[in-house]
Amino acid sequence: MDSPRQQLSNIDDKQISKALLLPTELIYIVARQIPRNKDLLSFGLAHSSFHRVVVPYYLRFREVIMRVDDFNMWNYLAGDCQRLTTVEVLRIVWEYESQRGGGPQPPLPKSAVQTMVQTEVDPLDQMQRSLEGMKRLREVSWDDSYWVPKPLKEGAPDTNQYRQRFWSVVPRLCKGVQTINLLLHPKKQNDYCWLCGPLLRELHHARNLRAFTGEFFSCNHDGSDVLTAQAQTTQNNIFSTFTGLRELSLSDTKLQVFPDLQFPALITLSLTNIEFEASNGLQRLLESSPGIISLHLDPESYLPMLRQDQNHENSASSLPIAPLLKSFSGRYEDAEFLFFNPLPDGRLRTISNLRIIEGYSAQELLPSLISAFGRAEIGVGDKLLELRIHTSFDRVEDDTDPDVYESGLLWVSWLRSIVTYCPKLRGLFIEIDEPTEPWGIDETVGWKPTLAPLKDLAVLKLPAWLWLAETYSGTEPHAIEQCLEWFPRLRLHFLTERLVLVINSEESEPETSPRDGWLIHGGQAMGRRWNLYEHFLHTDFEERIEELIA
């Protein structure tokens, strides 16, 4: 009997071609797993059945970015039903040159505009028919403008009419939409907001919604009773849709009193500059979301109830807030409570990613953190894989000599404590807003052997002056070789805001390099290859950092 290898070698090209005649829906499922256009094109060129789906359609129409009042674009999309059924992500922007984060341009060829036949079709009806044909639409992003542009031609509907029709039909017609992102830019505090207006009254029809982002979701209204009542009704309807939500991100928003709802599926919550009408609004939201795994609270959206007396009845320490929490980002006070304080049943939260945002100066925060570890239960930091700290540095002038500054920060001693309490760290980020010189900070020498016991350390970012102090005389290659020697698993070392060291362990390992940035040095040492890049974008490494720390 032939082996599998021999059986495969006996298959001719016709049999292989026939085997690759996949159903169209299966081709879409495969293509959806390929994020990069370069790889997607290679997939499309592998077989004719892939080509007819991927090249003329999926590459161009899986993500469409357009203005809502661009009638030519709606007309062009409606001209071929396969264009419509290909659209998975629809991004509405107020100007094509003002897209956030780049992305593909609207795929409307100039030739299509020149040859387009003018019809008597109502522009709003054409938009509605186009949306109805987007059977695979799963994400809608709306980036509203500071101004309402004039109609593109005389007699055409204005942008507000397009806006109202769009949001009246999308929740009802596009049943597969799972992600909605709403970005609003009001001119002033009492400008139009998502809650007081009529746009989102139909959003409760979006029953498959799994992720929602709202920026400037609602405004203050200066206490207007009419607008507040309308906003409360709209908010209640919307949040009733959120019961199946898995991700919720809100920023620059004032929320009314929460209805009595549960969000059992919510696992990711991010709040930035949020004001709650009720003093216990955030507490209620967290209590109604017991499955939260990732929580981000910016310094303006902190947990006020954590400031209560711990002996007070119903104090935060007796509440089962976020019992499944794995990742937290926020103020030190909140991090201290969630990380070190046990739940009512005595268990500690097994947080693996801890990010502390300002709150104190470095001289206060770093010793306070070590002191908290020292008071806590033994082994509390054993599960911690990532520690990020972003704080400031206060220079204290010496009374006896105004040119001398005292820091009071024993740097290496602090790092040694982190190694002791958090032995399994894979990512360590210490960002301190400070000058490029250490200004007399104690113990700046010997940080590499101090951190060397962190055997799994893969990503490292420390204050820039540590690197600058080592390489002031042009000894960069020697300093890099020392990093490779002390940290055998290090892959990314952010030396300064402009310099990153990228390390690859083996020739077969795919090289990590930024899309932007200049390669200024490269070499090989300790059996590993390294490259030094300048003027890079931090966003180029976000996915790689997650992979290394996970």
Side-chain angles (χ1 to χ4, degrees):
M1 183 176 179
D2 292 340
S3 66
R5 181 187 295 268
Q6 290 172 325
Q7 293 177 19
L8 185 62
S9 64
N10 293 333
I11 299 177
D12 58 26
D13 292 342
K14 287 186 178 181
Q15 290 174 301
I16 294 176
S17 181
K18 186 177 181 180
L20 292 176
L21 290 175
L22 303 178
T24 299
E25 189 60 35
L26 185 55
I27 296 175
Y28 273 112
I29 292 174
V30 174
R32 193 174 297 139
Q33 310 306 315
I34 307 175
R36 296 200 309 175
N37 284 347
K38 180 181 178 181
D39 298 330
L40 188 60
L41 179 60
S42 299
F43 171 66
L45 297 176
H47 191 268
S48 59
S49 66
F50 305 162
H51 184 279
R52 69 171 181 266
V53 172
V54 173
V55 175
Y57 291 104
Y58 201 76
L59 263 173
R60 298 176 61 197
F61 298 103
R62 67 170 169 179
E63 180 179 17
V64 171
I65 300 179
M66 61 178 293
R67 277 176 53 160
V68 71
D69 58 356
D70 190 343
F71 171 70
N72 286 336
M73 186 62 194
W74 290 119
N75 205 27
Y76 177 67
L77 290 171
D80 186 338
C81 64
Q82 195 165 346
R83 294 171 189 160
L84 295 174
T85 57
T86 300
V87 178
E88 295 181 348
V89 180
L90 178 60
R91 304 191 189 279
I92 301 297
V93 296
W94 63 283
E95 281 294 341
Y96 292 131
E97 64 268 24
S98 298
Q99 301 163 23
R100 290 188 170 195
Q105 291 292 323
L108 182 60
K110 293 181 180 179
S111 59
V113 178
Q114 297 168 355
T115 60
M116 191 170 289
V117 177
Q118 297 299 321
T119 65
E120 298 301 323
V121 177
D122 179 84
L124 298 179
D125 290 342
Q126 186 71 303
M127 177 184 70
Q128 181 168 332
R129 277 191 290 270
S130 298
L131 291 170
E132 189 172 5
M134 295 180 181
K135 304 298 184 182
R136 292 187 176 87
L137 187 64
R138 55 184 174 82
E139 180 179 342
V140 174
S141 291
W142 183 283
D143 192 345
D144 217 333
S145 63
Y146 287 95
W147 48 273
V148 178
K150 296 179 179 179
L152 298 180
K153 63 178 181 178
E154 187 176 354
D158 62 26
T159 303
N160 197 48
Q161 290 174 289
Y162 275 104
R163 180 193 285 118
Q164 292 178 2
R165 177 70 71 88
F166 183 93
W167 285 110
S168 70
V169 301
V170 164
R172 291 184 289 108
L173 297 180
C174 305
K175 299 295 187 181
V177 171
Q178 297 183 351
T179 301
I180 291 181
N181 305 305
L182 302 180
L183 310 176
L184 180 67
H185 310 284
K187 294 178 182 177
K188 54 185 181 295
Q189 189 177 31
N190 277 347
D191 245 6
Y192 163 87
C193 84
W194 290 106
L195 292 185
C196 70
L199 293 185
L200 300 184
R201 291 179 181 175
E202 302 295 324
L203 192 62
H204 62 278
H205 291 288
R207 293 299 176 182
N208 289 318
L209 202 59
R210 295 297 177 264
F212 183 87
T213 297
E215 184 177 317
F216 287 101
F217 194 45
S218 77
C219 304
N220 194 354
H221 309 304
D222 287 343
S224 170
D225 293 336
V226 175
L227 292 178
T228 300
Q230 191 172 10
Q232 180 72 67
T233 301
T234 305
Q235 178 185 284
N236 290 351
N237 289 337
I238 292 174
F239 272 78
S240 68
T241 310
F242 288 174
T243 54
L245 213 62
R246 294 176 61 83
E247 300 177 19
L248 176 61
S249 176
L250 297 175
S251 62
D252 299 293
T253 291
K254 179 175 182 179
L255 294 175
Q256 311 300 316
V257 176
F258 276 108
D260 187 17
L261 295 172
Q262 294 295 312
F263 308 98
L266 193 64
I267 60 174
T268 300
L269 177 62
S270 176
L271 301 176
T272 303
N273 194 25
I274 301 298
E275 181 181 350
F276 289 87
E277 182 74 19
S279 59
N280 66 340
L282 180 55
Q283 179 178 332
R284 288 186 59 189
L285 178 57
L286 292 175
E287 289 177 334
S288 62
S289 311
I292 286 181
I293 292 176
S294 176
L295 176 62
H296 167 76
L297 301 175
D298 80 315
E300 301 301 322
S301 304
Y302 60 90
L303 297 165
M305 76 280 190
L306 300 189
R307 312 295 177 261
Q308 299 174 0
D309 182 357
Q310 299 298 309
N311 295 320
H312 188 276
E313 184 179 1
N314 294 327
S315 68
S317 61
S318 64
L319 298 174
I321 297 173
L324 305 180
L325 194 65
K326 300 292 184 184
S327 175
F328 176 76
S329 172
R331 292 166 61 111
Y332 171 70
E333 296 94 334
D334 297 341
E336 183 180 23
F337 173 83
L338 293 170
F339 189 77
F340 295 106
N341 284 2
L343 293 161
D345 61 5
R347 293 181 300 113
L348 289 170
R349 298 171 183 86
T350 55
I351 297 176
S352 57
N353 302 79
L354 184 62
R355 305 177 183 186
I356 300 174
I357 308 171
E358 298 183 6
Y360 290 99
S361 68
Q363 295 96 312
E364 296 176 291
L365 172 58
L366 302 186
S368 296
L369 181 61
I370 295 304
S371 177
F373 271 110
R375 296 191 306 269
E377 182 179 322
I378 296 176
V380 67
D382 287 351
K383 302 290 186 181
L384 200 62
L385 301 180
E386 177 188 23
L387 176 61
R388 293 189 184 221
I389 296 175
H390 187 174
T391 184
S392 60
F393 184 79
D394 290 340
R395 290 177 293 162
V396 181
E397 187 173 319
D398 190 337
D399 294 334
T400 60
D401 188 344
D403 294 328
V404 176
Y405 294 88
E406 296 180 348
S407 67
L409 178 60
L410 300 177
W411 181 250
V412 174
S413 296
W414 183 82
L415 290 179
R416 186 176 297 111
S417 298
I418 286 296
V419 171
T420 301
Y421 293 121
C422 311
K424 297 181 180 179
L425 280 180
R426 299 176 187 173
L428 177 61
F429 304 77
I430 311 297
E431 300 180 58
I432 301 179
D433 297 332
E434 34 78 13
T436 57
E437 296 182 13
W439 291 99
I441 292 179
D442 299 323
E443 298 186 328
T444 59
V445 178
W447 63 269
K448 291 191 187 77
T450 300
L451 291 180
L454 296 177
K455 300 300 183 182
D456 295 325
L457 190 65
V459 187
L460 180 62
K461 182 174 184 179
L462 298 176
W465 40 260
L466 285 174
W467 172 256
L468 297 174
E470 289 188 336
T471 59
Y472 69 94
S473 59
T475 58
E476 285 183 349
H478 177 67
I480 290 173
E481 289 178 5
Q482 284 187 331
C483 287
L484 270 61
E485 178 183 357
W486 288 109
F487 309 115
R489 295 193 177 182
L490 191 64
R491 294 294 178 270
L492 292 174
H493 187 183
F494 295 91
L495 307 169
T496 70
E497 285 299 314
R498 298 188 306 166
L499 285 176
V500 60
L501 176 64
V502 179
I503 304 167
N504 295 93
S505 62
E506 301 174 357
E507 293 294 336
S508 59
E509 182 179 350
E511 184 172 343
T512 303
S513 59
R515 286 188 292 270
D516 296 304
W518 303 339
L519 177 62
I520 58 176
H521 285 301
Q524 189 164 350
M526 312 295 293
R528 291 185 285 170
R529 292 176 290 111
W530 60 268
N531 289 316
L532 189 62
Y533 291 93
E534 188 177 26
H535 300 298
F536 63 94
L537 295 177
H538 285 81
T539 53
D540 290 347
F541 294 102
E542 288 179 353
E543 290 186 9
R544 180 59 173 156
I545 290 174
E546 289 184 8
E547 293 173 359
L548 292 170
I549 294 177

